[in-house]
Amino acid sequence: MPTNFTVVPVDDVKEGSNGGAPEEESKPISLRKIFQDKKGVDNVQEPHSEGEDDQKESSPFINGEQDKEYSYEGKNMALFEEEMDSTPMVASLLNKLAKYTNLTQGVREHEEAEDGVRRVAVTVPQMGTFIGVYLPCMQNIIGVILFLRLTWIVGTAGILGSLAIVSMCCICTLLTAISMSAIATNGVVPAGGSYYMISRSLGPEFGGAVGLCFYLGTTFAGSLYILGTIEILLTYIVPTATVFKDNGDAAKLNNMRLYGTCCLVLMALVVFVGVKYVNKLALVFLSCVVLSIMATYAGVIKTLIEPPEFNVCLLGNRSLKNEMFDTCTKREEDQTVFTNLRDLFCNSKYPNATCDEYYSLNNLTEIRAIPGLLSGVIRDNLWDNYGLADTMIEKKDLPSISPLVSSTDKDEHYVLRDITTYFTLLVGIYFPSVTGIMAGSNRSGDLRDAQRSIPIGTILAILTTSFIYISFVVLFGACIEGVVLRDKFGDSVKKNPVIGILAWPSPWVIVIGSFFSCCGAGLQSLTGAPRLLQAIARDGIIPFLQVFGHGKANGEPTWALLLTVGICEIGILIASLDNVAPILSMFFLMCYLFVNLACAVQTLLRTPNWRPRFKFYHWTLSFLGMSLCLSLMFVSSWYYALVAIMIAGCIYKYIEYRGAVKEWGDGIRGLSLNAARYALIRLEESPLHTKNWRPQLLVLCKLDSDLAVKHPRLLSFTTQLKAGKGLTIVCSVLEGTFMTCKKDAKTGEENLKAAMSAERTKGFSHVVVASNLRDGFSILIQSAGLGGMKHNAVLMAWPAGWKQARGSLARRNFIETVRETTAAQQALLVAKNIDHFPNNQERLKEGTIDVWWIVHDGGLLMLLPFLLTQHKVWRKCNMRIFTVAQMDDNSIQMKKDLQMFLYHLRLDAVVEVVEMHDSDISAFTYEKTLVMEQRSQMLKQMQLSRTEREREAQLIHDRNTASHSATNEKAAGSPPDRVHMTWTKDKLLNERNKQREGMAVKDMFNMRPEWENLNQSNVRRMHTAVKLNEVVVKKSRNSQLVLLNMPGPPKSKKGDENYMEFLEVLMEGLDRVLLVRGGGREVVTIYS
């Protein structure tokens, strides 16, 4: 409901005043923006205009009238007035939190939508511990396995083995309930049960994986309950209703499939029509369960007085099916008439008929099916009695004479084992009977005090059901004959359920009660599973499930129900309760495992938000529960366990790579932080060995005016060089102050992340705001990274616009970056024409990566091509290494030595030694140097201040004027009006064109006076750059990539303006170039 906050001045309050005071006495304040619902916001008008915010700051202290007009949270709170919009007053906040309500999914709101009547909202749910948690857990825990399989498990595994099975499973659920109680009491748990708890504790990946496992478990539980319903129907209620009349196993399975499918469709229609009918029948179904349990206890007590009149007929020591006969004798009492039993084993009714040999050799014995509690039968049922499929159930202490030639013709008259039994199979079949402990947490929205009710109700329900199961195991073994216990379907007691013949007053109490119990449990599964899937789909963590988040207008998950019915049909087609039970055991055990893991992780991390009200937990209990769950998974069925783990793993990886990014403050993130902290501390303990060295890149990106990445191919090249390994930090610098540019910095960082995602660059992004680019780059080079995870190489693009008139700043920034990386002992990679580099989708069919190894840089030049060829873009490129030999070097020996060096480095490359002979410096070199120095002079003068330019212009004027003294006197009186610069850009270009045009006809001798004035050091450097460029272009013009040693900048800053020109000449005529400057350490080694 919309909540309007009205603040009334204390002095103006009169007796009887309330929240409905006139508007002129009290006005709403800006806090309503925070606390009003969406519907209420549209109906509220702003009481003040745009300019009012400017007056607020001074009005309470200057103008008393304005103070009355603009009301706020009390005059004592004026100090916090400007923060009211973002930080509400505590009183208002507590008032809103006290009214927090949380509807459970699929209960109240769906009923209201179906009825078309809007009920009055109840602020505080009224369900307590008993009704809201205890009874739902009891209903979900006690089910089909108790009525249809527990007696068989006791007879097969024995009392001791059954107690071990029950104890393991109950302890597992109890430990899980303790962990669940800790999580459920650590804050408000909305409706969603285990999925919500796991996903918010372990993150969306684990939450989605376990949530789907829990969904599949709940869905297969529906199949289990439906198969149990049909088994009760066709075995005990209407045995003649079978469609397939054959007595074989195939006909039985087909009948289960047919009736199970019909029952599934009928239940799905009931759920589709309205969940309210299922909820209203829940109490009826629970009453059936309680009545059946009470009837069983009553039957046990009755055995002390008078055992039931149910007998079992045994031929020799073999148990017989007693459907076709009434008397367990070969002849009637007068010994003249044969009984119907003889007809089963003989080929005719006459005395001379041929009978089965075993029938002839053995006598018939009739014993009580339920000897009673004091009969001592408990001694016979203590130990296990496992057997193979299709073998007869026998009473070991009775005599039996086996025929010489065994025959299987009459085996259908004996009670046979339908499956091979062993301990681990029984564990998988029994475990579904202890599931359902999440029922209370699923209804947390309906509880008056969920943080108190969930632990108490769930643990009490588990203790109660554990007592029921353990007591039933002991009582069944103490009251019922062993051959009857091992009779799964009650064939030896006239097709009655074994637990039914023990119950009082009639077996029909168990039959009807278990039938409705299974129906109700199946409906509950078909109701809960679609809503669980809908909750997962609406979270948006699994993209392909989003369609199942939609439903009818009232919120009913129609599409999720259809998928649930489809998956449930798979379990129906299996048609065997014993085969379906281990499947859902796997999924529930997987869910419980992660509940324990979530509690253990949160406890060990000791996150500040981990403050459960339930205090009786410990991480050792959670780990014990987790280990027990994992053990039970593999004990029950190791192949089902592997399949369940694979399904959860695939879902986890799918969410990790394709799912939506969610931040729920999960424990896995805290675990990652702890692991990262530990690893960073360990990394700093010892220096990095050469074998572990790999380029940890700091990528300096440039953002355009729209704050988008200017060179996205730089990120592509980073991906190709790193292949997702090692550290990558993508950074950029914005000029300004952080207070004025923080929004731009955030936008730029988001754009960096988007570009990294598009180019599949795995790493970190960061945007720094600094007063100038130079300071920003310096900060990044010095401080990027953390501890042992710091970058050791810097990657940047070549500043292509450095020659422009305003490019001096770019030139200085670049040169200073080179100097700082060298001083920091970091490698530097500079990519020229980065926009021409291939993207991640291109595949270079052929070509070479040429390495020009001129000076030793620690082996980085040879390591980089190897790393590039590991990526699919460069995989088909061959590596060539060129080195330069001087006049005094032995080229042949150099080639052999280099080949041997590469062999020891395990690198495959073609080696070539290039000889560079000493030659005279060409006129072209002098010309290049002359133009370079002229341009440098021009740039220097363009950077002078106004006073310096005036002084320069005056000196030039003095040198070209005859009368120096007169001019000086005139200049001293008044400075010149116009400034004439020695060089301009146009003058430089014109002069360069004139010189190039005149080179063909001008006599070289006449130009030598100009060359003699050049700096000879620059001439030699230019000569090296020109000659080396000629060789590189000749050999590597058509290569896919050229790697060159990057010469260092001059130690004196006087030559900075020429350094860029040398590098430009060195790379002239080449398309893709990577200049490499080592970090001053060895990065490759020949040792293993």
Side-chain angles (χ1 to χ4, degrees):
M1 298 208 31
T3 306
N4 292 323
F5 285 84
T6 304
V7 181
V8 181
V10 178
D11 297 336
D12 297 337
V13 176
K14 299 179 181 179
E15 294 183 1
S17 63
N18 49 30
E23 186 179 356
E24 59 269 16
E25 293 184 9
S26 60
K27 293 187 177 181
I29 64 167
S30 58
L31 283 177
R32 70 182 182 280
K33 297 178 182 178
I34 302 173
F35 294 111
Q36 279 181 336
D37 293 340
K38 293 182 179 178
K39 293 181 181 179
V41 172
D42 298 334
N43 300 326
V44 181
Q45 297 179 355
E46 287 291 326
H48 37 261
S49 60
E50 296 179 358
E52 198 167 329
D53 293 335
D54 299 332
Q55 301 175 0
K56 269 190 170 184
E57 183 175 358
S58 57
S59 58
F61 305 99
I62 297 176
N63 194 335
E65 296 179 359
Q66 291 180 354
D67 189 13
K68 294 180 181 179
E69 183 177 357
Y70 301 110
S71 175
Y72 49 88
E73 288 284 349
K75 297 179 181 179
N76 294 332
M77 295 294 105
L79 185 61
F80 301 94
E81 179 185 3
E82 293 184 355
E83 301 179 8
M84 289 297 180
D85 291 333
S86 58
T87 52
M89 294 299 295
V90 173
S92 303
L93 179 65
L94 294 178
N95 184 33
K96 187 64 177 179
L97 290 177
K99 296 180 180 179
Y100 174 79
T101 60
N102 182 21
L103 299 177
T104 183
Q105 290 179 339
V107 181
R108 241 184 354 257
E109 65 270 30
H110 297 306
E111 293 183 11
E112 292 173 359
E114 289 174 3
D115 293 345
V117 179
R118 182 67 179 177
R119 294 177 174 82
V120 178
V122 181
T123 304
V124 181
Q126 296 300 316
M127 295 177 66
T129 303
F130 186 76
I131 299 295
V133 181
Y134 181 77
L135 290 183
C137 285
M138 288 282 294
Q139 180 184 1
N140 281 268
I141 293 174
I142 298 176
V144 61
I145 301 297
L146 172 66
F147 300 115
L148 297 183
R149 291 293 183 269
L150 187 59
T151 54
W152 172 72
I153 291 174
V154 173
T156 305
I159 295 176
L160 298 180
S162 301
L163 286 176
I165 295 173
V166 173
S167 299
M168 281 193 304
C169 297
C170 291
I171 290 173
C172 176
T173 55
L174 180 62
L175 294 175
T176 304
I178 292 173
S179 299
M180 183 198 71
S181 299
I183 299 174
T185 58
N186 188 49
V188 178
V189 178
S194 60
Y195 163 69
Y196 181 89
M197 290 188 293
I198 295 174
S199 62
R200 270 57 178 180
S201 297
L202 293 180
E205 293 86 1
F206 280 108
V210 180
L212 280 184
C213 286
F214 190 51
Y215 163 74
L216 292 174
T218 308
T219 304
F220 277 104
S223 303
L224 181 79
Y225 294 129
I226 292 174
L227 290 174
T229 302
I230 302 304
E231 184 175 310
I232 295 170
L233 179 68
L234 296 181
T235 305
Y236 306 119
I237 299 179
V238 193
T240 58
T242 56
V243 176
F244 301 92
K245 300 298 183 180
D246 190 10
N247 292 327
D249 291 337
K252 180 180 178 181
L253 295 178
N254 289 331
N255 283 318
M256 295 286 287
R257 294 183 181 111
L258 178 63
Y259 278 93
T261 302
C262 296
C263 183
L264 174 63
V265 172
L266 182 62
M267 288 185 177
L269 288 176
V270 173
V271 174
F272 179 78
V273 168
V275 70
K276 62 179 181 180
Y277 302 112
V278 179
N279 294 324
K280 290 177 180 178
L281 290 173
L283 190 59
V284 177
F285 298 141
L286 179 61
S287 302
C288 294
V289 174
V290 174
L291 183 62
S292 300
I293 292 173
M294 298 303 295
T296 304
Y297 279 117
V300 172
I301 296 173
K302 185 177 180 298
T303 61
L304 295 173
I305 304 171
E306 180 184 2
E309 294 295 332
F310 283 97
N311 297 322
V312 183
C313 185
L314 296 100
L315 178 61
N317 63 355
R318 300 176 181 178
S319 180
L320 294 175
K321 297 179 180 178
N322 63 356
E323 298 173 271
M324 307 297 293
F325 61 89
D326 296 324
T327 306
C328 186
T329 58
K330 295 183 178 181
R331 294 176 181 268
E332 296 290 348
E333 292 182 0
D334 56 4
Q335 300 293 322
T336 58
V337 181
F338 294 107
T339 61
N340 295 335
L341 177 60
R342 183 178 182 276
D343 297 339
L344 300 176
F345 292 92
C346 300
N347 58 4
S348 70
K349 297 182 178 180
Y350 300 104
N352 59 352
T354 303
C355 296
D356 180 72
E357 187 176 359
Y358 186 85
Y359 176 78
S360 302
L361 293 175
N362 291 277
N363 296 322
L364 289 170
T365 306
E366 189 174 29
I367 61 174
R368 282 187 178 273
I370 302 178
L373 195 61
L374 303 178
S375 63
V377 73
I378 189 172
R379 291 190 297 271
D380 300 330
N381 294 330
L382 280 176
W383 309 107
D384 60 78
N385 197 323
Y386 300 112
L388 299 175
D390 298 325
T391 57
M392 301 170 189
I393 296 176
E394 301 174 345
K395 185 174 174 60
K396 294 181 179 179
D397 57 353
L398 288 181
S400 174
I401 302 174
S402 300
L404 297 177
V405 180
S406 60
S407 174
T408 60
D409 295 339
K410 304 298 182 179
D411 284 355
E412 69 270 12
H413 302 306
Y414 298 103
V415 179
L416 304 176
R417 294 183 177 89
D418 59 335
I419 58 174
T420 301
T421 54
Y422 43 90
F423 180 80
T424 57
L425 173 73
L426 300 184
V427 174
I429 293 176
Y430 173 77
F431 188 80
S433 64
V434 296
T435 60
I437 62 174
M438 301 290 182
S441 63
N442 290 342
R443 302 178 178 223
S444 59
D446 293 329
L447 302 175
R448 183 184 300 112
D449 186 0
Q451 297 191 9
R452 178 179 177 274
S453 298
I454 290 177
I456 296 175
T458 304
I459 293 176
L460 281 180
I462 292 175
L463 293 177
T464 303
T465 53
S466 299
F467 171 78
I468 291 173
Y469 282 125
I470 292 174
S471 62
F472 273 16
V473 167
V474 176
L475 294 176
F476 290 162
C479 294
I480 305 175
E481 183 61 49
V483 291
V484 179
L485 287 174
R486 292 189 289 278
D487 184 2
K488 183 185 291 185
F489 302 106
D491 293 325
S492 61
V493 286
K494 296 187 180 297
K495 279 292 183 179
N496 285 305
V498 176
I499 190 176
I501 63 173
L502 178 63
W504 181 84
S506 169
W508 284 100
V509 176
I510 298 296
V511 172
I512 301 301
S514 59
F515 177 79
F516 283 109
S517 171
C518 291
C519 288
L523 286 172
Q524 291 286 353
S525 298
L526 291 179
T527 302
R531 282 163 179 77
L532 178 60
L533 181 63
Q534 186 182 45
I536 299 172
R538 287 181 173 176
D539 264 348
I541 58 175
I542 305 178
F544 70 84
L545 289 181
Q546 289 183 357
V547 65
F548 299 108
H550 307 292
K552 293 195 296 185
N554 62 352
E556 288 284 349
T558 307
W559 294 106
L561 177 62
L562 290 177
L563 180 64
T564 302
V565 170
I567 298 175
C568 197
E569 178 64 18
I570 297 175
I572 298 295
L573 294 178
I574 295 176
S576 172
L577 188 147
D578 299 326
N579 292 332
V580 174
I583 297 177
L584 68 98
S585 295
M586 293 302 110
F587 292 122
F588 277 115
L589 281 168
M590 180 79 72
C591 177
Y592 296 165
L593 185 150
F594 281 100
V595 169
N596 286 293
L597 177 63
C599 181
V601 168
Q602 296 279 25
T603 305
L604 289 176
L605 289 178
R606 298 179 182 177
T607 54
N609 190 55
W610 180 247
R611 303 184 299 275
R613 290 193 176 277
F614 181 77
K615 302 299 182 182
F616 304 99
Y617 70 94
H618 195 268
W619 66 267
T620 54
L621 295 178
S622 299
F623 267 112
L624 180 61
M626 184 175 65
S627 304
L628 193 55
C629 289
L630 188 62
S631 302
L632 286 175
M633 286 177 64
F634 284 93
V635 165
S636 303
S637 175
W638 64 268
Y639 46 89
Y640 279 158
L642 291 178
V643 171
I645 292 173
M646 287 179 60
I647 291 174
C650 292
I651 297 171
Y652 178 92
K653 298 305 291 185
Y654 177 81
I655 297 174
E656 184 179 17
Y657 286 106
R658 297 293 303 275
V661 178
K662 300 285 184 180
E663 177 50 55
W664 289 330
D666 52 87
I668 293 298
R669 185 176 180 86
L671 188 63
S672 301
L673 288 173
N674 274 5
R677 179 186 61 84
Y678 174 78
L680 288 172
I681 293 174
R682 288 293 305 273
L683 281 175
E684 281 198 319
E685 291 178 358
S686 58
L688 185 69
H689 194 273
T690 302
K691 290 187 292 185
N692 296 325
W693 194 95
R694 65 167 59 245
Q696 317 285 5
L697 292 181
L698 173 68
V699 185
L700 300 180
C701 277
K702 188 175 182 181
L703 302 179
D704 57 19
S705 58
D706 296 329
L707 299 178
V709 178
K710 191 172 183 180
H711 301 295
R713 293 293 176 90
L714 196 63
L715 301 179
S716 302
F717 183 69
T718 303
T719 303
Q720 296 157 20
L721 186 62
K722 300 285 292 177
K725 304 296 190 298
L727 175 68
T728 301
I729 307 175
V730 182
C731 296
S732 188
V733 178
L734 296 180
E735 289 187 286
T737 61
F738 182 73
M739 296 302 295
T740 58
C741 300
K742 59 180 180 180
K743 290 185 178 179
D744 291 343
K746 185 177 181 180
T747 304
E749 191 161 344
E750 291 174 354
N751 293 341
L752 278 181
K753 289 181 180 178
M756 292 172 65
S757 177
E759 300 297 337
R760 297 181 181 179
T761 304
K762 295 182 179 180
F764 309 98
S765 61
H766 191 46
V767 175
V768 172
V769 180
S771 57
N772 55 69
L773 296 178
R774 176 67 257 125
D775 291 343
F777 290 148
S778 179
I779 292 171
L780 291 173
I781 291 172
Q782 294 178 59
S783 61
L786 180 64
M789 284 295 287
K790 291 183 70 70
H791 63 279
N792 54 26
V794 177
L795 173 63
M796 60 188 302
W798 173 258
W802 71 272
K803 285 188 177 182
Q804 299 175 1
R806 298 180 61 186
S808 59
L809 184 60
R811 185 197 72 217
R812 290 200 304 272
N813 289 341
F814 177 80
I815 296 174
E816 289 301 317
T817 301
V818 176
R819 284 198 175 100
E820 289 190 358
T821 54
T822 304
Q825 294 184 337
Q826 298 172 4
L828 178 63
L829 312 179
V830 181
K832 181 191 176 186
N833 295 332
I834 186 62
D835 294 329
H836 296 176
F837 278 56
N839 58 32
N840 292 327
Q841 283 69 42
E842 294 183 35
R843 302 291 182 270
L844 300 179
K845 304 288 186 180
E846 57 184 359
T848 60
I849 300 176
D850 290 353
V851 177
W852 285 84
W853 192 24
I854 301 169
V855 296
H856 182 58
D857 59 350
L860 183 59
L861 267 174
M862 286 172 285
L863 182 62
L864 293 178
F866 169 76
L867 295 176
L868 283 175
T869 52
Q870 304 304 302
H871 196 273
K872 51 192 173 182
V873 174
W874 304 89
R875 189 164 293 159
K876 294 186 178 180
C877 293
N878 299 318
M879 180 177 169
R880 296 194 301 178
I881 296 183
F882 296 90
T883 188
V884 177
Q886 302 296 325
M887 284 294 295
D888 299 335
D889 297 329
N890 187 340
S891 302
I892 298 175
Q893 188 61 37
M894 283 182 62
K895 185 173 182 178
K896 291 181 179 179
D897 293 342
L898 183 54
Q899 288 174 339
M900 182 58 65
F901 182 57
L902 292 176
Y903 176 78
H904 287 308
L905 290 177
R906 291 90 64 200
L907 295 176
D908 297 325
V910 177
V911 175
E912 187 171 344
V913 178
V914 179
E915 296 181 352
M916 289 185 62
H917 302 289
D918 291 339
S919 61
D920 295 334
I921 300 176
S922 64
F924 178 74
T925 301
Y926 279 110
E927 171 65 14
K928 279 276 188 182
T929 309
L930 177 62
V931 174
M932 178 186 70
E933 292 196 353
Q934 289 175 342
R935 184 180 183 282
S936 299
Q937 184 69 15
M938 177 200 72
L939 292 175
K940 281 183 179 179
Q941 292 172 355
M942 291 182 66
Q943 293 166 9
L944 297 175
S945 64
R946 179 178 179 85
T947 306
E948 291 173 334
R949 281 188 291 169
E950 291 175 355
R951 187 177 303 165
E952 179 71 13
Q954 186 62 41
L955 291 174
I956 294 172
H957 180 70
D958 291 344
R959 292 171 184 173
N960 294 280
T961 305
S963 54
H964 295 282
S965 58
T967 306
N968 287 336
E969 292 175 1
K970 184 178 180 180
S974 59
D977 296 332
R978 295 185 62 185
V979 177
H980 178 72
M981 294 182 62
T982 306
W983 288 93
T984 63
K985 184 177 180 181
D986 295 336
K987 184 176 180 180
L988 174 65
L989 296 175
N990 293 334
E991 191 67 26
R992 182 184 299 172
N993 293 333
K994 288 179 182 179
Q995 290 177 355
R996 288 180 178 175
E997 291 173 0
M999 280 298 294
V1001 296
K1002 187 178 291 186
D1003 185 11
M1004 295 299 174
F1005 182 79
N1006 294 332
M1007 293 187 63
R1008 284 193 177 274
E1010 296 182 34
W1011 297 347
E1012 290 175 356
N1013 295 329
L1014 298 176
N1015 188 322
Q1016 293 304 310
S1017 176
N1018 290 340
V1019 173
R1020 290 194 305 271
R1021 292 171 184 265
M1022 184 62 73
H1023 174 68
T1024 303
V1026 170
K1027 296 296 291 183
L1028 191 56
N1029 175 258
E1030 291 177 357
V1031 178
V1032 174
V1033 170
K1034 180 180 178 181
K1035 296 287 186 179
S1036 305
R1037 179 186 293 274
N1038 297 322
S1039 63
Q1040 298 291 356
L1041 179 63
V1042 177
L1043 280 77
L1044 284 168
N1045 278 118
M1046 181 180 182
K1051 295 180 180 179
S1052 174
K1053 294 187 178 182
K1054 293 181 180 179
D1056 285 357
E1057 62 274 6
N1058 302 326
Y1059 176 67
M1060 299 290 286
E1061 191 72 42
F1062 294 143
L1063 296 181
E1064 194 75 58
V1065 172
L1066 184 62
M1067 298 184 292
E1068 192 173 359
L1070 300 173
D1071 186 20
R1072 299 175 186 151
V1073 182
L1074 185 66
L1075 293 176
V1076 180
R1077 184 164 177 80
R1081 64 161 293 167
E1082 294 291 334
V1083 299
V1084 292
T1085 178
I1086 64 174
Y1087 299 105
S1088 61

